Amino acid sequence: MRISYKKATNTETVTIQQIYDLIKDDLKKVESEFKKNLHSNIFLIRKMGEYILGSGGKRIRPLLVLLSSKLCNYKGESHVPFASIVEFIHTATLLHDDVVDEADMRRGNISANEVWGNGASVLVGDFLYSKSFYLMIEHGDMEILRVISKTTTQMSEGEILQLLKSNDPDTTEDEYLEILKSKTAMLMSAACQIGAILGRVSKEKKEALARFGLNIGMSFQLTDDCLDYTSSNDEFGKTVGNDLKEGKITMPLIHLLRNSTPDEKENVIKMIGSHELDEEKLISVIDMINKYGSVEYTMAKAKRYIDEAKSSLDIFEPSLEKSALLGFSEYVFERRF
Amino acid sequence: MRISYKKATNTETVTIQQIYDLIKDDLKKVESEFKKNLHSNIFLIRKMGEYILGSGGKRIRPLLVLLSSKLCNYKGESHVPFASIVEFIHTATLLHDDVVDEADMRRGNISANEVWGNGASVLVGDFLYSKSFYLMIEHGDMEILRVISKTTTQMSEGEILQLLKSNDPDTTEDEYLEILKSKTAMLMSAACQIGAILGRVSKEKKEALARFGLNIGMSFQLTDDCLDYTSSNDEFGKTVGNDLKEGKITMPLIHLLRNSTPDEKENVIKMIGSHELDEEKLISVIDMINKYGSVEYTMAKAKRYIDEAKSSLDIFEPSLEKSALLGFSEYVFERRF
């Protein structure tokens, strides 16, 4: 379905389906790139790669590369391989994350490390990382290489900081936001910057898209935090309270710990990281989260990031792609899975 | 101590100490680069990085970068950071290897994953990988970037192949050599190529140095395999039979399995990967290895790779650096730790 330009720019209410429709041909090409780039004489690489890439990811990072490059009037074909590469990098981090978290589930499926073991997840993650750099270097754009290598370095620092802070009830809001920025928002920002670099737009527009991606990323992770305390079991394979069970201190919990009574705080701290968290205890935490409005607080923060993301696009003239990116911002904030 | 040029080229018997003396100033600079590049706001990165980089590595890959660039008359300063980057990449693979192998020791010290956990090893390894690419991109040499990114991709494939073949007594010699090539020899080859690329020598000389490094790497790993069956407990923190205990099928064992009687073979297969391998059983395997000359067979192969490495340097005029590289080849073959 083709969205009418006028309608889209006037209403800014393009649906997520309309956005995906807008780039569906390119997204198909991105999927073909995955297949091509997973090629290896070693069957396990393709098998694991296809398993995790085919497990219901929303392709948000490729979408950002594709829409940003179109917004910046890029007419070439490199946006497709770069969209694929960014998702490869994301996939590598998922594989390594699951080893670090000792996760047994990912997106409602058994996690790769649970199926093939930690060793395979570490090494196939390394393959995806290395192959990503190999493919980027083939394309030879030094500016994109600089952005991505800086991003992946900072991502690993964010992951390490998160590991050091896991199960730490004294994690501050600022520390937490710093982790989110490094581990999630930077790659979304990089995805948008790729579009700007390919389109050779002004420094101001590049910075605007970098800010857009960064703020989208922050909001994306904060809404994700909320979904963990609000989504029902059958949506997106997530069960309520997973973060709490895994000892992940996320924004709603940070808010709760900051605002609850000493007794309540002590109780919550006891539950953090308890793999045997029963229904009753979980409900007691959710009740407290409701009582103190911790989800509302987090969503209000998420909303501010979205507003910031949207306003950073002011520098761009109205276009179908701009409307799609604005519409995508709404989706990030309003999504239910 | 300064080695006389004439003496060195005539005798080709420079000692390993003389070789290190030749590049000691640059090696000191390489160590400073490590410190600089391990800088991060996250203390754990520096701590783990320094732990593993300071744990008695022989700096073979930096040595190859430094000597190759001098052999190719490179007069700039980039060989130092590149020597550091190659060791960073090597260090990243060590961190990940130990997670994959569930190792508790590395070079006679407690392995990093045993001290800080698998998660930290995975993530600090990722940091070193990413930082390596970041630093290389800063230097902006596309040819080096191509060589290194191709190498790291192939290294991860080699590691995966090794994982798939671990504990597999049917691993063939060809499969094993393919693993060695990818996981060890390619990076040594890349180290030598960096020197050639920096020195802007002819295609023939680049290929010659690539072959030199590859053959040195093959020989290095094969002699390492032998040391596992021959070195005494106090040397280099290695104990005899470690590979066997860890289920690692290396060249002496492949040779033994191919040549032993069906009964002997069955016995050896039972012992592979047995963490409770007692002294008596270990001695019985070593006896068989002696009986069939499996170490001698492996050392003869290692010697052929060394001869190949040395002859590939024929294209270069005599020089102190050439003698040092030739002397280094001898050391690789004759070392006892």
Side-chain angles (χ1 to χ4, degrees):
Chain A
M1 188 184 72
R2 187 80 187 155
I3 315 163
S4 106
Y5 172 86
K6 194 152 180 285
K7 183 184 165 203
T9 50
N10 280 350
T11 63
E12 287 181 10
T13 53
V14 283
T15 66
I16 188 67
Q17 189 54 50
Q18 286 172 312
I19 295 164
Y20 276 106
D21 281 348
L22 180 65
I23 51 167
K24 69 174 181 220
D25 292 341
D26 280 346
L27 270 177
K28 264 186 209 156
K29 289 183 197 162
V30 170
E31 300 290 324
S32 304
E33 282 284 312
F34 291 156
K35 282 210 165 41
K36 196 175 84 187
N37 295 334
L38 279 176
H39 174 81
S40 163
N41 291 331
I42 300 162
F43 185 62
L44 182 66
I45 291 177
R46 212 170 65 211
K47 196 157 174 161
M48 279 182 75
E50 285 178 0
Y51 181 81
I52 190 156
L53 277 161
S55 69
K58 295 183 287 297
R59 308 290 187 245
I60 288 176
R61 293 151 196 86
L63 176 147
L64 290 173
V65 174
L66 300 175
L67 284 179
S68 299
S69 45
K70 281 176 185 288
L71 175 71
C72 296
N73 264 315
Y74 175 65
K75 302 290 183 206
E77 287 297 326
S78 294
H79 60 319
V80 168
F82 277 113
S84 156
I85 289 165
V86 169
E87 191 74 356
F88 255 42
I89 291 171
H90 173 58
T91 306
T93 66
L94 295 184
L95 282 167
H96 285 187
D97 269 8
D98 284 346
V99 174
V100 174
D101 294 345
E102 298 171 15
D104 46 16
M105 296 294 282
R106 157 77 58 191
R107 292 174 184 154
N109 298 312
I110 301 170
S111 64
N113 53 315
E114 198 62 19
V115 181
W116 289 283
N118 280 341
S121 286
V122 170
L123 297 175
V124 174
D126 287 346
F127 172 83
L128 293 175
Y129 260 131
S130 290
K131 187 80 185 235
S132 298
F133 276 101
Y134 176 77
L135 294 167
M136 279 189 288
I137 289 160
E138 290 274 287
H139 280 273
D141 188 309
M142 285 307 276
E143 195 177 348
I144 293 178
L145 277 169
R146 262 194 296 274
V147 167
I148 298 291
S149 65
K150 192 176 165 191
T151 299
T152 55
T153 305
Q154 212 159 337
M155 282 169 81
S156 62
E157 290 183 294
E159 299 274 1
I160 295 164
L161 196 58
Q162 186 179 46
L163 179 70
L164 292 172
K165 289 284 170 191
S166 69
N167 293 48
D168 179 357
D170 295 326
T171 308
T172 65
E173 182 167 322
D174 283 349
E175 285 169 338
Y176 182 64
L177 292 176
E178 192 55 38
I179 291 170
L180 290 202
K181 185 179 158 192
S182 303
K183 67 162 280 190
T184 305
M186 292 278 300
L187 189 59
M188 295 204 191
S189 177
C192 294
Q193 286 176 73
I194 288 174
I197 295 167
L198 289 175
R200 298 182 189 284
V201 291
S202 67
K203 189 165 166 281
E204 289 70 26
K205 283 187 173 173
K206 274 181 200 167
E207 286 169 0
L209 270 170
R211 273 202 311 284
F212 175 80
L214 197 74
N215 283 294
I216 285 282
M218 295 301 285
S219 185
F220 185 85
Q221 195 57 57
L222 289 173
T223 51
D224 218 51
D225 290 356
C226 293
L227 288 169
D228 192 70
Y229 285 101
T230 57
S231 71
S232 68
N233 283 13
D234 52 359
E235 279 177 328
F236 197 46
K238 280 198 168 185
T239 49
V240 176
N242 258 342
D243 288 345
L244 188 69
K245 281 182 206 166
E246 288 173 14
K248 280 188 188 157
I249 316 281
T250 65
M251 188 56 86
L253 208 60
I254 290 170
H255 179 266
L256 174 61
L257 288 167
R258 199 169 59 203
N259 289 283
S260 52
T261 66
D263 278 0
E264 286 170 332
K265 189 174 172 176
E266 200 189 318
N267 257 329
V268 174
I269 289 175
K270 267 188 209 152
M271 289 184 233
I272 292 169
S274 160
H275 286 273
E276 286 88 34
L277 198 70
D278 62 27
E279 193 77 4
E280 195 188 333
K281 283 178 183 162
L282 183 61
I283 288 171
S284 78
V285 178
I286 292 176
D287 281 348
M288 277 188 270
I289 288 222
N290 287 335
K291 177 175 149 195
Y292 287 102
S294 304
V295 165
E296 290 73 11
Y297 174 82
T298 307
M299 286 307 282
K301 272 197 108 58
K303 180 72 170 66
R304 280 201 294 279
Y305 283 113
I306 284 300
D307 290 343
E308 181 69 28
K310 288 165 84 173
S311 73
S312 65
L313 293 190
D314 286 349
I315 192 172
F316 290 93
E317 295 297 310
S319 72
L320 189 55
E321 289 75 22
K322 180 173 171 176
S323 297
L325 283 169
L326 293 171
F328 178 71
S329 320
E330 294 293 339
Y331 156 75
V332 164
F333 181 69
E334 287 166 6
R335 74 209 164 95
R336 288 286 165 270
F337 56 90
Chain B
M1 189 185 71
R2 186 80 187 155
I3 316 162
S4 105
Y5 172 86
K6 196 153 178 282
K7 181 182 167 206
T9 51
N10 280 351
T11 63
E12 287 181 9
T13 54
V14 282
T15 67
I16 187 69
Q17 190 54 50
Q18 287 172 312
I19 295 164
Y20 276 106
D21 281 348
L22 181 64
I23 51 167
K24 69 174 180 223
D25 292 341
D26 280 347
L27 270 177
K28 264 186 208 153
K29 289 184 197 162
V30 171
E31 299 290 325
S32 304
E33 282 284 313
F34 291 156
K35 282 210 167 39
K36 196 176 85 188
N37 295 333
L38 279 176
H39 174 81
S40 163
N41 291 332
I42 299 163
F43 184 63
L44 182 66
I45 291 177
R46 213 170 64 211
K47 195 156 175 161
M48 280 182 74
E50 286 179 0
Y51 181 82
I52 190 157
L53 278 160
S55 68
K58 294 183 287 298
R59 309 287 189 246
I60 289 175
R61 293 151 195 85
L63 178 147
L64 290 173
V65 174
L66 299 175
L67 284 179
S68 300
S69 45
K70 282 175 184 290
L71 175 70
C72 297
N73 264 316
Y74 175 66
K75 302 290 183 207
E77 287 298 325
S78 294
H79 59 320
V80 168
F82 277 113
S84 156
I85 289 164
V86 169
E87 191 74 356
F88 255 43
I89 291 172
H90 173 57
T91 306
T93 66
L94 295 184
L95 281 168
H96 285 186
D97 268 8
D98 285 345
V99 174
V100 174
D101 293 346
E102 298 170 16
D104 46 17
M105 296 295 281
R106 156 79 56 194
R107 294 174 183 154
N109 298 311
I110 301 170
S111 64
N113 52 315
E114 198 62 19
V115 181
W116 289 282
N118 281 340
S121 287
V122 170
L123 297 176
V124 174
D126 287 346
F127 172 83
L128 292 174
Y129 260 131
S130 289
K131 187 82 186 234
S132 298
F133 276 101
Y134 175 76
L135 293 167
M136 280 190 287
I137 288 159
E138 291 273 288
H139 280 273
D141 188 308
M142 285 308 276
E143 195 176 348
I144 294 179
L145 277 169
R146 261 194 297 274
V147 167
I148 298 291
S149 65
K150 192 177 164 189
T151 299
T152 55
T153 305
Q154 213 159 334
M155 282 169 81
S156 62
E157 290 183 296
E159 299 274 1
I160 294 164
L161 196 58
Q162 185 180 46
L163 179 70
L164 292 172
K165 290 284 170 190
S166 69
N167 294 48
D168 179 357
D170 296 326
T171 308
T172 66
E173 184 168 321
D174 283 348
E175 284 169 337
Y176 182 65
L177 292 175
E178 191 56 38
I179 291 170
L180 290 201
K181 185 179 158 194
S182 303
K183 69 162 280 191
T184 304
M186 293 278 299
L187 189 59
M188 295 205 190
S189 177
C192 295
Q193 286 176 72
I194 288 174
I197 295 167
L198 289 175
R200 299 182 188 283
V201 292
S202 66
K203 190 166 164 280
E204 288 71 26
K205 285 187 172 174
K206 273 181 201 167
E207 285 169 1
L209 271 169
R211 272 202 311 284
F212 175 79
L214 198 74
N215 283 295
I216 285 281
M218 297 300 285
S219 185
F220 185 85
Q221 195 58 57
L222 289 173
T223 52
D224 218 52
D225 290 357
C226 292
L227 288 169
D228 193 70
Y229 285 100
T230 58
S231 71
S232 68
N233 284 13
D234 52 359
E235 282 177 325
F236 197 46
K238 278 198 168 183
T239 49
V240 175
N242 259 342
D243 288 346
L244 188 68
K245 282 183 203 164
E246 288 174 14
K248 279 188 189 157
I249 317 283
T250 66
M251 188 57 86
L253 208 61
I254 289 170
H255 179 265
L256 174 62
L257 289 167
R258 200 169 57 204
N259 289 283
S260 53
T261 66
D263 278 0
E264 286 169 332
K265 187 173 172 176
E266 202 188 317
N267 257 327
V268 174
I269 289 174
K270 267 188 209 152
M271 289 184 233
I272 293 169
S274 160
H275 287 272
E276 286 87 34
L277 199 68
D278 62 29
E279 194 76 4
E280 194 188 333
K281 283 179 183 160
L282 183 61
I283 289 172
S284 79
V285 177
I286 292 176
D287 282 348
M288 276 188 269
I289 288 222
N290 287 334
K291 177 175 150 195
Y292 288 103
S294 303
V295 164
E296 290 75 9
Y297 174 82
T298 306
M299 286 307 283
K301 271 198 109 59
K303 181 72 170 67
R304 281 203 292 280
Y305 283 113
I306 284 300
D307 290 343
E308 182 69 27
K310 287 165 85 174
S311 74
S312 65
L313 294 190
D314 285 349
I315 192 172
F316 291 93
E317 295 299 309
S319 72
L320 189 57
E321 289 73 24
K322 181 174 171 177
S323 297
L325 283 170
L326 293 171
F328 180 71
S329 318
E330 294 294 338
Y331 157 75
V332 164
F333 180 68
E334 287 166 7
R335 76 209 163 95
R336 288 288 164 268
F337 56 91

